[in-house]
């Protein structure tokens, strides 16, 4: 089984492509110098490789357990590893210094987050939800709520969760039934929460002193549907006068879900208010909970995309290591019938090159998205902030859906490279696929991401944000054509497909055609965006970065992607133009094979 090694060199190159130097020049981010970034990546890589990675397989085998009194226990070593994580200040890297954060760019935090996910995805899920809770309270919490909850969440001493889903309300949050009843005797803005939630990641565990649940619930007189849902802070332990965890709140873990993967991450069925009502604190205004929760969800969607990158990186490392060692068959490039390792075989090379190219492309997309969030937050020019906000909104569903699909595809290829041993748990290859599979489902399934991309990000503004992105991509195409003509030509054809797809969708924007086109359009955009950023990486490598071996490797990987993977945009365009007729032609009974 191969240990994880943080890909610091590839991350540094990707940060350069998406403009880390420009981000570091923005007000508030001046501390993110090249030396500081390099030092942080190096130290984070040590934690990921030496502390988190060795727990990955153990956690998968051991899983989590629940005691008779409802306490959840994580696998051996997880609480101690989490304390090292907190003591190192890793949770607070991208957050407000006024509440104990380090004030560094989200882009740098995204690179670190990839390390946590690649080293140990089950572990990385805990700080992932905490980050979302911090973003939510930063944007929508009152000053009192910020001062009460943010310092311990930013430090990581307390962790956060997101409580949306109920048995009858999966992605349809309008069906939420959890109730909130005002408790004026306890104070203004305090409510009693009653109801049940499912699929709550790290809903309970033994790694932090308190768990701060963000819970969607409905007031008695609230409007029906999605506009009648409010958001509440519901801590595991109520705070005493000193602001420390005191009496337990009226909530409990009913059970743990038995899952395909991420066994070391407790996914909880939660009950609130069995003894009269869990104490909850209203965030913001009544009936605006969905609006507020989307701040947390948008952050989580990018983070989930980074999970896909992390798993893909780890699966690629394992597959390359195995292919170097596995001797089987003669070298097809030589006449001698001497057995060589399978990395000499062209078909194995195709799999490995596909894994590496897809991983690089997905990393660049998630980094680019994070960079746009930083620009939208910190750039002094209001017009630039607005453009970056629109760009981030456009890229987020691509970063989430395409990158998690890449995680699954790359982990699946990793099993294939291992052959029969990939199907055996001891090699670790199977765990990567099992862990990766959930990422295409949670925080909005990838189909929902595709519908969001087409319905909200393309049709709503009639393609304005996309056209601006394509114009920037055309500039890169022109640069490629000057320096690397064949790559420029390949990228130009893909951009033609993007523009043709956009035109077709805008002309056929009824709900059925729009939804039928959504997934192939997202796949097309993932390839085109990955091609754009890999093209920029190739230009940097061609100009020279100081390490000829790395430059050659990056040029080769980018060339493989643009020449051999990017042409698939034409197939996605054909699927878009085929419309909904084939999809909707059969009635429900005819779809059944019996």
């Amino acid at each position: 089984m191969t240990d994880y090694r943080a890909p610091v060199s590839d991350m540094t190159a990707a940060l350069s492509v998406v403009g880390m130097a420009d981000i570091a020049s923005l007000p508030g981010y001046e501390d993110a110098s090249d030396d500081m970034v390099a030092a942080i990546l190096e130290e984070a890589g040590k934690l990921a490789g030496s502390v988190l990675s060795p727990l990955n397989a153990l956690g998968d085998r051991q899983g989590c357990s629940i005691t008779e009194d409802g306490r959840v226990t994580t696998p051996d070593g997880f609480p101690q590893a989490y304390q090292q994580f907190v003591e190192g200040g890793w949770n607070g890297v991208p957050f407000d210094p006024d509440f104990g954060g380090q004030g560094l760019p989200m882009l740098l935090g995204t690179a670190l987050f990839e390390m946590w996910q690649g080293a140990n995805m089950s572990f990385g899920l805990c700080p992932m939800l905490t980050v979302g809770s911090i973003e939510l309270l930063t944007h929508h919490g009152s000053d009192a709520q910020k001062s009460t909850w943010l310092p311990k969440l930013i430090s990581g001493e307390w962790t956060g969760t997101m409580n949306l889903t109920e048995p009858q309300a999966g992605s349809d949050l309008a069906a939420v039934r959890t109730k909130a009843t005002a408790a004026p005797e306890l104070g203004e803005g305090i409510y009693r929460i009653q109801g049940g939630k499912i699929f709550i990641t790290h809903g309970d565990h033994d790694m932090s002193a308190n768990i701060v649940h963000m819970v969607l619930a409905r007031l008695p007189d609230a409007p029906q549907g999605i506009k009648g849902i409010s958001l509440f802070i519901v801590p595991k332990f109520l705070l005493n006068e000193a602001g420390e965890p005191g009496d337990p709140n009226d909530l409990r873990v009913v059970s743990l879900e038995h899952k395909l993967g991420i066994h070391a991450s407790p996914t909880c069925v939660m009950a609130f208010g069995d003894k009269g009502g869990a104490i909850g604190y209203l965030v913001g205004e009544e009936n605006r909970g969905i609006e507020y929760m989307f701040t947390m969800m948008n952050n989580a969607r990018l983070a989930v995309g980074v999970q896909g990158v992390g798993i893909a990186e780890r699966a690629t490392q394992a597959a390359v290591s195995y292919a170097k060692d596995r001797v089987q068959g003669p070298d097809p490039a030589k006449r001698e019938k001497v057995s060589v390792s399978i990395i000499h075989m062209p078909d194995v090379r195709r799999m490995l090159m596909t894994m590496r190219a897809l991983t690089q492309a997905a990393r660049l997309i998630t980094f680019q998205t994070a960079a746009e969030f930083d620009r939208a937050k910190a750039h002094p020019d209001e017009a630039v902030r607005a453009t970056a906000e629109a760009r981030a909104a456009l890229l987020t569903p691509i970063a989430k859906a395409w990158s998690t699909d890449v995680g699954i595809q790359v982990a699946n290829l990793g099993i294939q490279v291992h052959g029969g041993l990939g199907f055996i748990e001891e090699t670790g290859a199977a765990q990567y696929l099992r862990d990766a599979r959930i990422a295409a489902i949670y925080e909005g399934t990838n189909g929902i991401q595709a519908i969001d991309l087409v319905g909200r990000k393309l049709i709503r503004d009639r393609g304005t944000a996309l056209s601006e992105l394509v114009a920037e991509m055309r500039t890169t195409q022109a640069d490629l054509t000057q320096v690397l003509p064949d790559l420029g030509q390949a990228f130009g054809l893909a951009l033609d497909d993007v523009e043709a797809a956009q035109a077709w969708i805008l002309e056929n924007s009824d709900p059925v055609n729009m939804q039928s086109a959504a997934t192939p359009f997202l796949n097309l955009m993932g390839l085109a965006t990955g091609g754009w950023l890999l093209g920029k990486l190739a230009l940097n490598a061609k100009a020279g970065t100081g390490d000829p071996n790395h430059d050659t490797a990056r040029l080769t990987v980018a060339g493989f992607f643009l020449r051999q993977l990017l042409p698939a945009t034409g197939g996605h365009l054909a699927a878009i133009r085929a419309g909904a007729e084939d999809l909707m032609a059969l009635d429900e009974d005819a779809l059944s094979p019996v």
Side-chain angles (χ1 to χ4, degrees):
M1 186 176 295
T2 306
D3 284 333
Y4 171 82
R5 301 177 309 281
V8 173
S9 177
D10 282 349
M11 285 182 168
T12 302
L15 290 172
S16 177
V17 166
V18 304
M20 184 72 220
D22 293 337
I23 299 299
S25 70
L26 296 177
Y29 292 152
E30 295 90 350
D31 288 342
S33 65
D34 289 348
D35 290 344
M36 174 68 78
V37 169
I40 289 174
L41 292 177
E42 196 67 33
E43 289 304 311
K46 292 176 183 177
L47 178 70
S50 64
V51 177
L52 304 185
S53 177
L55 296 175
N56 191 48
L58 179 149
D60 182 60
R61 293 192 303 270
Q62 195 175 105
C64 299
S65 59
I66 184 170
T67 63
E68 290 185 3
D69 59 354
R71 291 182 295 110
V72 173
T73 302
T74 55
D76 294 342
F78 272 61
Q80 294 80 7
Y82 187 75
Q83 289 309 306
Q84 285 187 248
F85 178 82
V86 172
E87 290 167 5
W90 295 109
N91 203 67
V93 166
F95 297 117
D96 191 342
D98 290 343
F99 297 101
Q102 297 176 37
L104 292 166
M106 181 179 180
L107 175 56
L108 179 57
T110 299
L112 302 186
F113 194 74
E114 185 197 319
M115 293 187 190
W116 318 143
Q117 303 308 314
N120 191 326
M121 181 170 161
S122 287
F123 180 94
L125 274 161
C126 186
M128 185 185 97
L129 273 301
T130 304
V131 166
S133 300
I134 294 166
E135 289 286 346
L136 188 154
L137 289 174
T138 298
H139 284 86
H140 305 296
S142 66
D143 289 343
Q145 288 170 341
K146 290 177 184 178
S147 63
T148 299
W149 304 105
L150 281 181
K152 293 297 180 71
L153 286 169
I154 286 173
S155 72
E157 294 172 73
W158 300 347
T159 59
T161 75
M162 179 169 22
N163 286 248
L164 292 79
T165 308
E166 299 177 7
Q168 80 291 342
S171 299
D172 180 14
L173 296 177
V176 163
R177 295 176 185 166
T178 296
K179 297 186 300 182
T181 306
E185 73 280 9
L186 298 177
E188 184 179 357
I190 302 178
Y191 293 74
R192 297 188 187 277
I193 311 298
Q194 292 179 298
K197 300 288 184 178
I198 62 172
F199 303 155
I200 308 307
T201 299
H202 278 81
D204 193 66
H205 56 81
D206 55 0
M207 301 197 302
S208 66
N210 205 356
I211 301 172
V212 183
H213 299 284
M214 301 294 172
V215 182
L216 291 180
R218 192 180 296 278
L219 298 172
D221 58 350
Q224 293 297 311
I226 203 166
K227 295 183 178 180
I229 298 173
S230 300
L231 178 67
F232 302 86
I233 301 167
V234 186
K236 178 180 178 179
F237 294 105
L238 300 172
L239 304 186
N240 59 27
E241 292 183 359
E244 296 298 327
D247 294 333
N249 206 348
D250 183 11
L251 56 90
R252 66 187 177 92
V253 179
V254 177
S255 62
L256 297 179
E257 304 287 4
H258 300 281
K259 309 186 296 292
L260 176 68
I262 53 170
H263 293 156
S265 172
T267 305
C268 302
V269 177
M270 302 290 298
F272 295 88
D274 285 352
K275 299 177 182 178
I279 302 303
Y281 308 94
L282 178 68
V283 177
E285 299 176 13
E286 295 178 357
N287 304 323
R288 295 182 66 184
I290 293 295
E291 173 190 344
Y292 300 154
M293 187 64 87
F294 264 101
T295 300
M296 188 173 187
M297 290 179 70
N298 281 332
N299 177 282
R301 284 170 175 172
L302 173 57
V304 170
V306 178
Q307 287 185 317
V309 181
I311 286 286
E313 175 64 38
R314 180 150 198 174
T316 301
Q317 290 183 16
V320 171
S321 178
Y322 179 80
K324 287 179 178 179
D325 292 339
R326 175 60 167 167
V327 175
Q328 183 173 309
D331 187 340
K334 297 179 180 179
R335 293 187 177 182
E336 298 89 349
K337 295 189 178 299
V338 177
S339 292
V340 294
S341 58
I342 62 173
I343 202 166
H344 293 81
M345 310 301 176
D347 188 60
V348 173
R349 282 297 184 97
R350 177 174 293 280
M351 289 189 284
L352 295 175
M353 286 293 290
T354 299
M355 295 170 75
R356 185 165 182 185
L358 289 174
T359 302
Q360 292 268 37
R363 174 179 295 120
L364 284 160
I365 290 172
T366 57
F367 283 17
Q368 182 71 45
T369 307
E372 300 299 349
F373 277 118
D374 281 328
R375 292 186 182 99
K377 176 183 177 181
H379 202 284
D381 188 317
E382 183 179 356
V384 175
R385 291 199 304 273
T387 299
E389 184 175 3
R391 177 71 56 82
L394 178 69
L395 291 176
T396 294
I398 302 169
K400 192 279 184 184
W402 195 78
S403 299
T404 55
D405 281 343
V406 161
I408 295 167
Q409 182 180 351
V410 169
N412 188 49
L413 283 170
I415 290 178
Q416 192 71 15
V417 171
H418 281 78
L421 287 176
F423 205 65
I424 305 300
E425 290 290 350
E426 283 76 7
T427 64
Q431 182 192 346
Y432 309 143
L433 180 58
R434 288 188 288 101
D435 286 354
R437 190 59 190 85
I438 184 58
I441 298 172
Y442 55 23
E443 305 309 334
T445 66
N446 285 0
I448 289 174
Q449 303 304 314
I451 293 169
D452 173 69
L453 174 64
V454 172
R456 290 193 178 96
K457 311 297 167 55
L458 174 58
I459 292 175
R460 182 172 291 181
D461 75 349
R462 304 303 296 171
T464 299
L466 177 58
S467 295
E468 290 175 356
L469 176 60
V470 171
E472 190 170 334
M473 290 177 170
R474 288 289 186 190
T475 300
T476 301
Q477 178 205 349
D479 293 339
L480 278 171
T481 301
Q482 289 292 320
V483 180
L484 299 162
D486 62 326
L487 301 190
Q489 181 181 16
F491 185 44
L493 293 174
L495 291 182
D496 292 344
D497 291 340
V498 170
E499 292 176 329
Q502 172 180 287
W504 190 94
I505 292 170
L506 291 177
E507 291 171 5
N508 298 272
S509 58
D510 62 279
V512 175
N513 269 317
M514 181 271 287
Q515 293 195 27
S516 74
T519 291
F521 182 70
L522 189 143
N523 289 333
L524 193 163
M525 282 303 304
L527 286 167
T529 308
W532 169 49
L533 296 168
L534 280 169
K536 295 176 76 171
L537 183 72
L539 289 169
N540 284 357
K542 185 68 174 177
T545 63
D547 187 321
N549 291 329
H550 286 169
D551 287 339
T552 298
R554 288 171 188 138
L555 269 171
T556 303
V557 169
F560 174 84
F561 186 97
L562 270 75
R563 283 188 287 262
Q564 300 206 33
L565 301 183
L566 189 58
T569 57
H572 296 307
L573 175 60
I576 291 167
R577 286 172 165 168
E581 183 176 353
D582 295 331
L583 305 183
M584 309 304 293
L586 297 179
D587 62 28
E588 295 174 12
D589 291 334
L591 281 170
S592 174
V594 294

